[in-house]
Amino acid sequence: MSKRLVAFFSAGGVTAKLAERLAKAAGADIFEIRPEQPYTREDLDWTNRNSRSSVEMADKSFRPAVAGTVENMEQYDVIYVGFPIWWYVAPTIINTFLEQYDLAGKTVVPFATSGGSGMGRTNAELAVSCKGARLAEGKRFGADASESELKKWSEGF
Ligand SMILES: Cc1cc2nc3c(=O)[nH]c(=O)nc-3n(C[C@H](O)[C@H](O)[C@H](O)COP(=O)(O)O)c2cc1C
């Protein structure tokens, strides 16, 4: 059996709940990708062009700092990476996270929650941060996706 990790970023808690359910369903370890500087409600205001998230997401080379690291990342074969969709892609903190590790030979599997849009150009933006890894086509789930749905999906990697 391959060893699996669910790593997730969640600004509002929706993705966190899904990630916990997925980790249970997949028999995976879990790691929360925490920003060094947490996002406030104002930071997340997508209607404001000058909010922190708007400014960061307008620059695809921006890398928000992550607090902490996964210990012994080398032991994992499959890494499910979860996040809320921001502006049709993964928040750039996911790029920061992926770039912290040597992912050669691993499989990276994105999953997300959103207000309704799909994975969009997510993988096009994540590929630069997954050198040497296989970046699988990810999936957007409803917040209430069941453990059995997640289990079935997780077994495909
Ligand atoms: C800055 C920002 C941008 C967002 N952009 C999108 C988007 O492009 N499409 C969409 O369907 N939802 C978008 N959303 C909504 C989130 O993806 C959705 O609420 C998600 O479930 C939040 O997950 P979380 O509670 O784990 O942070 C956006 C939310 C924020 C804060």
Side-chain angles (χ1 to χ4, degrees), residues 82-97:
F83 44 84
I85 294 287
W86 282 6
W87 296 106
Y88 309 103
V89 294
T92 46
I93 195 169
I94 300 300
N95 296 84
T96 313
F97 170 76

